[in-house]
Amino acid sequence: MTFEAIDTWWWPLVFILIAGWIATDMWRWLGVLMGNRIDDSSEILVYIRSVATALVAAVIAQLIVFPSGALAETPVLLRIAAALSGFAAYIFIGRHVGLGVLAALVVLSAGMALGI
Amino acid sequence: MVAKGMNDESLNPENAGRYWLLKGMREAICLPTFLLMCAFVGFAGLARENGITMLQALVMTSTIWALPACVVLITAISNGATLIAAFIAVTLSSARMMPMAIALIPEMRTKNTRTWVLLLLSHFIAITAWVIALRRFKDVPKQYRTYYFGGLGGTITAINQFVVLGVYLSANSFSPKVLGVLFFLTPIYFLTSLWGSAREVTGKIAMVIGLMIGPYFYLTLPGIDLLATGFIGGTAAYIIGRIWRKQTAKGDA
């Protein structure tokens, strides 16, 4: 049963609801039911937060190292250098997220303009 | 002054609820939301190129509400995947929602919070709202965090429906180079704000380990790379963090 298996207006929507909505929200609901039993000061929450943080960090690394679209044509070292500059600007100049983002943007655009 | 007054529990709880709901809505208008909007411009462009209709794209955006899962679904559809294959692919990409939900729910639950409210609110859990909530919850009284998160998540979700709508209605698209640069802002935003939202040293260790082993697992364990990074990196970070905390506690004593 593919996306175009049944030639009606509603089948693609059913496909999206099952393969998209249910496949995603079931994890959120499961998380609620499990999180409901955990006290907010318990040690296990430190562990769960650690897992969630490592996971989000993997998403971040993926977006930087293996991006899609026009960004994929820039050299990976330029993107890593831009990310490090952004992070350094954030850490060393007053911890402003906007400043970190701006610094990364400047390094990336400069690199692209110079054709690095 | 107003904010201070509203923190007072003696005030009318209904007014306070509305206050925190509106505050959540207002705080949804921020840099990360703008970055997410840029990412959704790219998503809508991808959807349109793959023959997804406007209605289908809007249903995806509103019901899935996790950008990576939306992209995975579109890729599966354009590859002619069956319903079961598409379901499995999206399930793998969305499994990360569970630890994110487990981490967030205890922070907004009080004795009086009903489970169905949390189940409804959990739909708004995605990286952007999750990171903002973890960072801002400390300034929100616990009994009003559900209101705050509802206002925040609901607004971010609604705004991006309009972004998708706008892309479908506009004839011309953005230059891919500009979009590429805008897409790069998203990981940098997450990188800096996730560091800022880390409560304990464990979170920072988890970030560094996740950043380093994430790309390796992406190449070696495609499909389950995020989960593998989360569990292996998260467990290692927890153990290192625990030893670290014990050492510092000893040093203090």
Side-chain angles (χ1 to χ4, degrees), chain A residues 32 36, chain B residues 105 109 113-122 146:
Chain A
V32 170
N36 239 345
Chain B
I105 292 301
R109 181 202 58 205
T113 314
R114 272 158 292 191
T115 302
W116 67 264
V117 173
L118 294 173
L119 287 172
L120 279 181
L121 286 178
S122 76
T146 46

Side-chain angles (χ1 to χ4, degrees), chain A residues 25-88:
Chain A
D25 260 3
M26 66 177 193
W27 292 111
R28 294 181 172 121
W29 298 330
L30 217 59
V32 170
L33 299 178
M34 291 172 76
N36 239 345
R37 301 179 179 183
I38 298 174
D39 191 79
D40 73 336
S41 59
S42 82
E43 181 70 13
I44 191 146
L45 205 60
V46 177
Y47 172 68
I48 298 280
R49 254 203 309 267
S50 178
V51 170
T53 304
L55 211 149
V56 174
V59 176
I60 296 170
Q62 215 175 84
L63 290 170
I64 295 171
V65 182
F66 307 106
S68 53
L71 212 48
E73 289 158 29
T74 60
V76 64
L77 283 179
L78 173 64
R79 295 194 300 270
I80 292 175
L84 287 176
S85 322
F87 190 67

Side-chain angles (χ1 to χ4, degrees), chain B residues 2-142:
Chain B
V2 176
K4 209 171 176 205
M6 288 298 178
N7 272 319
D8 191 347
E9 286 178 34
S10 65
L11 271 178
N12 181 351
E14 216 165 274
N15 276 340
R18 193 186 311 150
Y19 170 82
W20 287 106
L21 180 81
L22 289 173
K23 191 157 176 80
M25 291 171 75
R26 261 203 316 275
E27 294 192 356
I29 315 296
C30 57
L31 177 71
T33 302
F34 172 73
L35 302 180
L36 187 66
M37 287 164 71
C38 296
F40 265 98
V41 170
F43 160 74
L46 178 81
R48 200 166 59 171
E49 274 170 36
N50 281 280
I52 304 291
T53 67
M54 186 171 84
L55 176 67
Q56 291 162 1
L58 287 172
V59 171
M60 276 185 199
T61 311
S62 56
T63 65
I64 300 176
W65 188 237
L67 199 50
C70 291
V71 175
V72 168
L73 183 61
I74 288 186
T75 312
I77 287 171
S78 65
N79 290 346
T82 62
L83 180 61
I84 293 163
F87 179 85
I88 293 172
V90 174
T91 298
L92 284 174
S93 105
S94 294
R96 70 198 155 81
M97 297 298 170
M98 192 174 71
M100 288 168 72
I102 300 176
L104 197 64
I105 292 301
E107 301 209 6
M108 47 180 184
R109 181 202 58 205
T110 63
K111 275 186 265 93
N112 303 320
T113 314
R114 272 158 292 191
T115 302
W116 67 264
V117 173
L118 294 173
L119 287 172
L120 279 181
L121 286 178
S122 76
H123 181 66
F124 298 134
I125 294 178
I127 297 181
T128 305
W130 187 77
V131 170
I132 297 176
L134 275 187
R135 211 176 49 177
R136 297 286 292 118
F137 266 2
K138 62 178 189 302
D139 302 321
V140 182
K142 193 160 185 190

